[in-house]
């Protein structure tokens, strides 16, 4: 699993004009990509990492300050544009594999005590955020 993690001062995701997920104040906006060999165990590992990684103000984690997370599925994180002009998506897991694993990340975060908002899997989403820093890291498990 791969995640692009941005420290934010608020973020939202809109689908067809409706806000389906939104966090305010300090938190993380997390784009999650799933590949073919990912497992529920990797989803749990990613959730633990997201909850405990010290990337907020003063090297705090979401668990330290009870900061919210906005988690959004994004298969394009496994795009490969090394050859030619058009990316391939071969490394991205198909929806029936990826969706339950993204849901597992969210469920595990909630079990840890996190407030988690989400996008809508497979939808045409509009993501807005204020990146604080800017601060962006790539996590892989």
């Amino acid at each position: 699993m791969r995640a692009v993690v941005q420290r934010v001062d608020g973020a939202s995701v809109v689908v067809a004009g409706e806000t389906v997920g939104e966090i305010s104040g300090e938190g993380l906006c997390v784009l999650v990509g799933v590949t073919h060999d990912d497992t529920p165990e990797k989803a749990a590992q990613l959730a633990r990492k997201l909850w405990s990684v010290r990337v907020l103000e003063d090297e705090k984690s979401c668990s330290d300050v009870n900061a919210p997370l906005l988690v959004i599925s994004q298969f394009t994180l496994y795009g490969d544009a090394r050859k030619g002009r058009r990316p391939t998506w071969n490394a991205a897991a198909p929806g029936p594999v990826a969706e339950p694993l993204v849901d597992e990340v969210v469920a595990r975060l909630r079990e840890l005590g996190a407030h988690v908002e989400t996008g809508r899997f497979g939808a045409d989403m509009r993501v807005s955020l204020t990146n604080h820093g800017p601060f962006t890291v790539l996590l892989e498990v």
Side-chain angles (χ1 to χ4, degrees):
M1 297 189 93
R2 184 175 286 169
V4 173
V5 180
Q6 297 180 79
R7 180 175 66 193
V8 299
D9 284 329
S12 65
V13 61
V14 173
V15 175
E18 172 194 359
T19 300
V20 297
E22 182 173 26
I23 61 172
S24 59
E26 182 179 47
L28 298 178
C29 182
V30 183
L31 307 175
V32 176
V34 178
T35 193
H36 300 282
D37 61 354
D38 286 333
T39 62
E41 293 76 25
K42 284 189 177 183
Q45 182 182 2
L46 179 60
R48 288 190 303 272
K49 181 65 114 175
L50 291 169
W51 188 230
S52 64
V53 67
R54 298 183 173 281
V55 294
L56 298 178
E57 196 79 54
D58 298 323
E59 295 186 11
K60 301 285 186 182
S61 67
C62 286
S63 64
D64 291 333
V65 296
N66 203 30
L69 300 95
L70 176 60
V71 176
I72 302 164
S73 64
Q74 188 169 355
F75 78 93
T76 62
L77 294 183
Y78 279 101
D80 185 352
R82 289 178 289 183
K83 295 181 181 177
R85 298 181 303 151
R86 183 177 298 159
T88 64
W89 314 111
N90 297 336
V97 172
E99 185 173 12
L101 291 174
V102 173
D103 290 346
E104 183 73 11
V105 171
V106 171
R108 292 299 183 103
L109 279 165
R110 288 177 175 152
E111 286 175 8
L112 292 167
H115 172 81
V116 183
E117 296 284 323
T118 65
R120 188 171 293 152
F121 191 91
D124 182 19
M125 296 178 270
R126 301 289 187 263
V127 180
S128 299
L129 58 93
T130 302
N131 188 318
H132 177 186
F135 195 103
T136 304
V137 295
L138 178 64
L139 297 179
E140 292 196 64
V141 296

